[in-house]
Amino acid sequence: MDAEGWTRELGRPGSVRELGGVRVSAVRCPALSLTGGGSGGPYHLALLLAGELVLDQEGRSARAGRGDLVLLDGGRPFRLAFTAPRNTVVTAHLPVVPGDPARCVARTLSGREGLGALVAGLLTGLARDTTPYRSAEERRLGVAVLELSGALLDSGHSEPVPEPLLPRVQAYVLQHLGDGRLTPDDVAAAHHISTRYLHRLFQRQGLTVAAWIKAQRLERCRRDLADPRLAHLPVHVIAARWGFAQPADFSRAFRAAYGTSPSCFRVRSLPTNSARAANDSPLTAQQTHG
């Protein structure tokens, strides 16, 4: 169930805020039951301001009252029941959540203390606020909702939670290694997360975003330099294929990683004839840096 479907099914919206990739909506509804899921919808972090709800999902049942928060995965089967005669709910519709979503859904979280109180205060304030923010400000507010909600959901588990988002991020980077202009900001935007959260994903594995990208580029350059089928390509062309725009920068990085220059590595790695052909090719000013 998407954000619009959620608002339409529950009842009369009090307010809707579009904050980049995040939407915050406030809805008042009578007692009712909903079933859905399986359509690949977003996640719904619901804050009960009045009434009571019961969410059944992933084999669990969560009961939330006034001041409680609960996460629903719109892409998986669920049953949601509002059991009070009058209910008011503020919902953050999130494109992603940290960790394993299956372990986050249908768990009651308090919105009266700690991170929960911060999330509840932010969502309540946004639902009541009518200030006409600029687009850049809306995006920043959306990032704030995403970051704070992610911190709350992360803190709701006493044991480490696997991070399925990281492999998807890394696969995306590998597909775009040849783009020398690729930045952490670009990667984060492509996955609807903040750059700060992107850095956190890598830090959990003892990595940094920039170092990991650089290592992947160098490894592919090393592989290509040792490939006889690519012996006709100058060193600087191979470097440029994998995002190194400046030959001198590539040469320094390669030497630091592998203890030798790209040209020397190629001579040692290629068969004699291929190595001779590569070395005999005319040098450009750029190749002299290799």
Side-chain angles (χ1 to χ4, degrees), residues 46 74 104-105 146 163:
C104 296
V105 300
L146 193 60
E163 183 52 77

Side-chain angles (χ1 to χ4, degrees), residues 50-63:
E52 184 180 73
L53 70 77
V54 179
L55 171 63
D56 296 310
Q57 190 169 41
E58 295 295 322
R60 292 190 295 271
S61 182
R63 183 178 297 273

